[in-house]
Amino acid sequence: MAQEKNSVVVFSAHSGDFVWRAGGAIAKSAARGDDVHVICLSFGERGESQGLWRQEGMTMDTVRRVRREEASSAAEILGASTDFLDLGDYPLSVDESAFDTVVDLLRQYQPNTILTHVAQDPYNRDHNMAHEVLLRARMVAQAMGHQTENPPIGAPQVLMFEPHQPEMCGFSVDLLLDITDVFDLKRRAMECMGAQSHLIEYYTDLAVRRGVQAVRNGGSKSITHAEAHARLFPVVGGELV
Amino acid sequence: MAQEKNSVVVFSAHSGDFVWRAGGAIAKSAARGDDVHVICLSFGERGESQGLWRQEGMTMDTVRRVRREEASSAAEILGASTDFLDLGDYPLSVDESAFDTVVDLLRQYQPNTILTHVAQDPYNRDHNMAHEVLLRARMVAQAMGHQTENPPIGAPQVLMFEPHQPEMCGFSVDLLLDITDVFDLKRRAMECMGAQSHLIEYYTDLAVRRGVQAVRNGGSKSITHAEAHARLFPVVGGELV
Amino acid sequence: MAQEKNSVVVFSAHSGDFVWRAGGAIAKSAARGDDVHVICLSFGERGESQGLWRQEGMTMDTVRRVRREEASSAAEILGASTDFLDLGDYPLSVDESAFDTVVDLLRQYQPNTILTHVAQDPYNRDHNMAHEVLLRARMVAQAMGHQTENPPIGAPQVLMFEPHQPEMCGFSVDLLLDITDVFDLKRRAMECMGAQSHLIEYYTDLAVRRGVQAVRNGGSKSITHAEAHARLFPVVGGELV
Amino acid sequence: MAQEKNSVVVFSAHSGDFVWRAGGAIAKSAARGDDVHVICLSFGERGESQGLWRQEGMTMDTVRRVRREEASSAAEILGASTDFLDLGDYPLSVDESAFDTVVDLLRQYQPNTILTHVAQDPYNRDHNMAHEVLLRARMVAQAMGHQTENPPIGAPQVLMFEPHQPEMCGFSVDLLLDITDVFDLKRRAMECMGAQSHLIEYYTDLAVRRGVQAVRNGGSKSITHAEAHARLFPVVGGELV
Amino acid sequence: MAQEKNSVVVFSAHSGDFVWRAGGAIAKSAARGDDVHVICLSFGERGESQGLWRQEGMTMDTVRRVRREEASSAAEILGASTDFLDLGDYPLSVDESAFDTVVDLLRQYQPNTILTHVAQDPYNRDHNMAHEVLLRARMVAQAMGHQTENPPIGAPQVLMFEPHQPEMCGFSVDLLLDITDVFDLKRRAMECMGAQSHLIEYYTDLAVRRGVQAVRNGGSKSITHAEAHARLFPVVGGELV
Amino acid sequence: MAQEKNSVVVFSAHSGDFVWRAGGAIAKSAARGDDVHVICLSFGERGESQGLWRQEGMTMDTVRRVRREEASSAAEILGASTDFLDLGDYPLSVDESAFDTVVDLLRQYQPNTILTHVAQDPYNRDHNMAHEVLLRARMVAQAMGHQTENPPIGAPQVLMFEPHQPEMCGFSVDLLLDITDVFDLKRRAMECMGAQSHLIEYYTDLAVRRGVQAVRNGGSKSITHAEAHARLFPVVGGELV
């Protein structure tokens, strides 16, 4: 049976989130032939670019340009397209026009699966805002009476990727995604991000730990790296898994 | 790629639970070639045999015999083996020896997947007891130092089937299992149970509603019947589903 | 003892919600002599009018007109007045002026009881928005320093009616409302809605199931139809019920 | 319409709990003509009799006798019968025979309503144990196949009375019971308990605070004293309250 | 060892909240030499000034002036500075410019600890709004790329003070703060508030009850008054407390 | 001011748990002069001794002896005494006599603080059992009427140490304990355990991550290693921390 080609949308509050938290999922999907589209709501220019701001004479324009380039390179390595909505961060702000753009993109990409942030993160309210905007846009994109060039979308699953401090966000793992065979791509994408090497080590270690957990939870012993995701909606399927 | 043959254990507090709540899952698994083993902790002879007790001159022995026959017939139709532990119901009581039997059965069957009751049902504490015993037995059956004829088990997933009043039990659906192509078997199994026809209608209606929900949640439009299940542990997999 | 006349407000995100989810409660209250006021925030013109949009050449104006007529007829059958705020749906948007209108209506109607949507529905964020707006407006309408023609309201109970997928919304039932003697009115109101007959069957079946549950939870055996509601605030009373 | 006579069972882990936590509910029910039966699982002789143990030369027998007399007097004032099961406290221990006695009493009293402790109190596990035993016994007492002199019970509501530190027990109030007109009885019953006067003041103050809350939540302004209770099961009724 | 001087910010939706709910915490901190800054988002002029509005011929201007004076006096007694942002109440509304002011104040005060309202209070949505705005502003004030005169803040703990009906707000106590030695200051501050004496008695009684609870939870027997607070973030420390 | 000497009890289901999960807390407390007592309910001989069982010809007696020696050595390094109750594991079983022993030990050690397992771990029900037994024993040890050689205990705080998969156990961090200056002791204690080196690496990495988190949550920048703990009861204190 020929495998169906899926469309995956990754809805990222800041332009780095998708790499650290969902890089494996993106590479895995792209590798099997799916279309993967990363939507970055902001560049994380104010809140998540410490490395750049520590450089002498840094300007906002430069931060945004560099962050855009880094994210574009990372996405390319992972195999995803990118849309940068440039809505500002800390705080992220999504007005009516930006919201309509999000709806249009969902209709254009017709995703089977959407990856985004958790609903409650006390450390980072931009992440919550992205979650809320995504759920609202998904609803509008489904509405028959919202008439646009592209037709309504179906009922894509929403997966929430792992936040930085999962136990403070009520994050409970539903899927340990085996990213063993694409981890080198995730690593290369992380290396684009201009972040300190300790962050790359952090997420490499996390992938190894999640890999160990995958094996302990019944996964194949060949798994060495994994990513944790939580699901919002029920899975529909014909197998008892 | 040849499909792997799985082993599924269904851990049922009373001898009717597995039919109403997991009949579709059992038939579905058996139909794809899995081994399915139903373990009935009790016959539900005191708490779930109203139809029999309403008959003049009914005795406990007769109730147990009839319930056993009904459950055996239903399991046969669905394609599962049966073990009746005869531990009594209302309240279900699992002593040390019975517990050891459960562990032995888990080691004998080496399940990939286990189906059982939810952890909290204010109406039916036998169901909670079954849940707790299963989790404890799963843990013991995994222990290398618990030495029996059969080797330790792996890390089988535990799925909780839908309780009678899901919204009073904190039941949140993780899997809408498509049982369209085996629903006639579930219906025939339900007909073995000597229950009033309204119960058969109830679970048929429930399957239809869950089927509609499956389609609304992105499932194939060909789905007409489904069963709802909740997962206890993360799924390990290579697909974003 | 003569029964006190109550005022009931039903706060409905879209113009169909009040019929499907609270039609029995409305008819029941009206039948005992209460004043019942339905406030529809939108016509559900974009997100909940699939039947109309499937018709050739449909326009937004027509959809809104038809939805208004349907809702008016249904409310009339149930015995309630209607206010249509026409705020748009998918997404529902409530600006300052609309918010003030809601507060004014609450002060005008002086409700003892308010019915509205749940706080968390991952499928439908308009419903959550209605819940939040209602709680905020209730608070303002209680404030002595918010000065309007009508005096402040008391402390009306807020009941949340059953969402479409209760187990995905954390909905736990507090009240199984016996609607046996008004169900024919609810059915007639549902028939006004221009929806496909399967939706009418769906909510009829739901009422029957909730009726069975009512009997199982100690209600009179004469109950055949019920509606499920959840309460936000404590009940104050002199009886242990 | 003549009011129906109800049967109320109060299931109290220690012989003082029913007075402090449910004295108002008992007096209120008795005053309207209901039968009220207090079942004390233990005398609280080890864990809740500090006043007695501080007396020179105190013995276990004396503590139990005094506690029994105090509880009997209090119940008489409130208008309830008493059963003392004498199962020991700290820890409360309910063996099979004691469990059967509980089931028998439930069948004998045929309650419409049962009052007991919350499910989770980190300070007092005897209270949790009482909750669990009650739910299990209620289930068995409902079973047709559990055959005793008295017939099966219906589906009595279970109300949980307020624990000492409600915010540590996940206690959320469902019912603010107006006990204004029976508070003098509760006070007299509390005075039987041989406790230090500060406890009497504590529960008097609590009743006043809950009374204020009742008024703030829409109750009659004549309410001066109330008790807080939480419900386990849905209420079935014909009124929107 | 010389004690470090801390900076504490109290983020109060209405100008009375900080006195009733955190007066002890403020006085305690000020007494040990900390800088304490109260930020009042509104005067509570519409929703929490019943006493004033009951006076003949009262105007909004007078209410605001009186409320400001009362809060200033109370803060002075407790030992805190005050900022009045005058954003209006019932509903509290925080636009972009007001939000920036909050961020600026956080950067100016560089708090180690912030006190504010709980996240969910069904009775008072202004309180929730204050909680959300605080979390968002804390995040922005931490961002290196948000460039202002004052440098980014660290990671101040956020404590939530006790809401009026804690059991309806999911409030679970993390800290019972001993305010014994400053309670006379809290009492004097409460007396500034122009509220009815019963409110002063209410919060005095609450402090006594929380004091009793503190002793019961292992605190020194010398504690007679306490305040309850809940923490949002983990404590970092070197002691097992 | 001379520091008070505390008594700390660590209540460990299996003889390895205290090392991996609380080794830092133990060493930290012992280093400041506290008495620390480890109570091991079992040797983890069946479920947590894989390394030993993989050796040819291993016997239960040998496993228990080796596990006892390892735990004794580790405790000695950390600075704690040990009690081995030898109650068996997988499943852990605590009969009445063993329960009395636990109560006696609590009264003997008079702890200010107790460390134990979480309440809900779906992977390991022995851990839950230890939690429940501890709470019950704490209650009995507090009871004045439970008369033993040693007097009743006070109200010790209960800290829950981090389970292996915190996000599956509802574990939310309350305390990030700085163990920087005792980490070498924890490492040496871990090296006693005969476990594979990867486990030592795992817990070293975890300590480093928790250390990073401690700094991010406002802790001193000198922190390099930490342990996460959750509290069951409120802290009583005079500081806003």
Side-chain angles (χ1 to χ4, degrees), chain E residues 239-241, chain F residues 8-11 22 25 29 112-118 131 134 156-162 171 174-175 177 228-233 235:
Chain E
E239 302 273 319
L240 269 187
V241 287
Chain F
V8 176
V9 162
V10 185
F11 200 70
S29 295
N112 307 82
T113 306
I114 303 172
L115 288 89
T116 193
H117 298 269
V118 295
H131 178 96
L134 183 277
Q157 177 62 269
V158 175
L159 292 170
M160 294 166 287
F161 34 72
E162 183 169 354
F171 182 78
D174 288 316
L175 172 66
L177 183 73
H229 296 269
R231 284 197 198 87
L232 199 56
F233 299 107
V235 170

Side-chain angles (χ1 to χ4, degrees), chain E residues 3 6 8 25-26 28-29 32 113 115 138 142 154-157 159 173-179 213-220 223 229 231-241, chain F residues 3 6 8 25-26 28-29 32 113 115 138 142 154-157 159 173-179 213-220 223 229 231-241:
Chain E
Q3 256 185 329
N6 289 316
V8 177
I26 296 168
K28 189 89 182 182
S29 294
R32 73 188 280 287
T113 305
L115 287 89
R138 177 183 180 273
Q142 291 176 318
Q157 177 61 268
L159 291 170
V173 183
D174 287 316
L175 173 66
L176 287 163
L177 183 73
D178 175 8
I179 59 168
Q213 216 171 59
V215 175
R216 284 173 59 106
N217 278 276
S220 155
I223 300 176
H229 296 269
R231 284 196 198 87
L232 199 56
F233 298 107
V235 170
V236 181
E239 302 273 319
L240 269 187
V241 287
Chain F
Q3 257 184 330
N6 289 316
V8 176
I26 295 169
K28 189 88 181 182
S29 295
R32 73 189 281 286
T113 306
L115 288 89
R138 178 183 181 273
Q142 292 176 317
Q157 177 62 269
L159 292 170
V173 184
D174 288 316
L175 172 66
L176 287 164
L177 183 73
D178 175 8
I179 59 168
Q213 215 172 58
V215 175
R216 285 172 59 104
N217 278 275
S220 154
I223 299 176
H229 296 269
R231 284 197 198 87
L232 199 56
F233 299 107
V235 170
V236 181
E239 302 273 318
L240 269 186
V241 286

Side-chain angles (χ1 to χ4, degrees), chain A residues 30 32 57 59 78 92 108 110 112-113 144 151 164 173 176 179 204 210 215 229 240:
Chain A
R32 72 189 282 287
T59 66
L78 297 170
L92 172 61
Q108 178 183 336
Q110 297 283 326
N112 307 81
T113 305
M144 275 198 71
H164 200 75
V173 183
L176 287 164
I179 59 168
T204 299
R210 292 301 186 190
V215 175
H229 296 270
L240 269 188

Side-chain angles (χ1 to χ4, degrees), chain E residues 196-225:
Chain E
Q196 306 81 336
S197 64
H198 80 265
L199 250 187
I200 299 178
E201 289 319 308
Y202 181 89
Y203 281 99
T204 299
D205 288 352
L206 178 59
V208 170
R209 276 183 286 124
R210 290 301 185 191
V212 171
Q213 216 171 59
V215 175
R216 284 173 59 106
N217 278 276
S220 155
K221 294 205 167 148
S222 65
I223 300 176
T224 59
H225 294 73

